[in-house]
Amino acid sequence: MKTLKVFLGWLIAGLLLIQFIQIKVPEPPKAKPGDEIKAPKEIMALLKRSCYDCHSNHTDWPWYSHISPVSLEVKSHVKEGRAWLNFSIWNQYSEEKKQKLYKDIAKSIDWQMPPEDYLWMHDEAKLTPQERQMIKKWALSHVKEDEE
Ligand code: HEC
């Protein structure tokens, strides 16, 4: 019993201490209204539902996103996700970068994106195979093949 108490004491102390470790997500890049990606309504709905938390300036921060160690994972996802691809500033990207991203979207939508651990907590972001196909077709429709 004593060992259990000592153990719990250390556990709680550890969890409290780890709260001092926090990642700071940089301020999102400035976006003008016309900078956001334009896509057909049903595609926009899917992107907003499944991608926008990490790939836009519109992140919904859940309560646990402020509690370490979970917050470290969540914030680094958003930080990196935005750095790779930010739909809110899409029209600031060069044509070349857009082309690359359309290809990456078509590739990653098969299984990598949205990340598995995000889906554990976000049922609403799960995509059916048909929805994945829709996003893939949309992305590929923008890829100019002759550049390959
Ligand atoms: C939980 C956060 C999160 C969500 C939600 C998410 N992503 Fe990502 N995404 C990331 C992170 C982090 C990276 C950085 C590279 C990596 O970890 O693979 C990334 C990278 C990417 C890349 C570029 C590099 C690559 O791996 O191809 C594309 C394209 C991408 N995501 C598309 C999407 C699309 C499309 C959706 C929605 C269907 C989505 N992501 C949802 C976090 C997320």
Side-chain angles (χ1 to χ4, degrees), residues 6 8 16 34 46-47 51 65 68:
V6 170
L8 285 177
L16 285 175
L46 294 179
L47 299 181
C51 319
S65 72
S68 292

Side-chain angles (χ1 to χ4, degrees), residues 46-47 49-55 74 76-82 84-85 87 100-109 112-115 117-119 122 125 127 132 135 138:
L46 294 179
L47 299 181
R49 203 179 88 206
S50 299
C51 319
Y52 261 48
D53 262 352
C54 305
H55 293 294
V74 174
S76 75
H77 264 155
V78 175
K79 195 171 150 185
E80 276 184 52
R82 279 185 188 154
W84 275 88
L85 161 63
F87 288 119
K100 181 180 178 314
L101 284 172
Y102 277 130
K103 286 183 205 161
D104 284 349
I105 291 170
K107 252 186 261 152
S108 64
I109 201 66
Q112 288 162 298
M113 289 291 148
D117 54 357
Y118 173 76
L119 293 178
H122 294 266
L127 295 166
R132 288 183 187 271
I135 296 179
W138 161 77

Side-chain angles (χ1 to χ4, degrees), residues 24-60:
K24 221 173 138 49
V25 179
E27 275 291 299
K30 289 253 178 310
K32 296 188 293 307
D35 289 344
E36 189 173 21
I37 191 159
K38 287 194 186 54
K41 218 168 64 220
E42 56 298 353
I43 299 293
M44 280 312 282
L46 294 179
L47 299 181
K48 287 195 170 153
R49 203 179 88 206
S50 299
C51 319
Y52 261 48
D53 262 352
C54 305
H55 293 294
S56 84
N57 288 353
H58 307 280
T59 304
D60 277 333

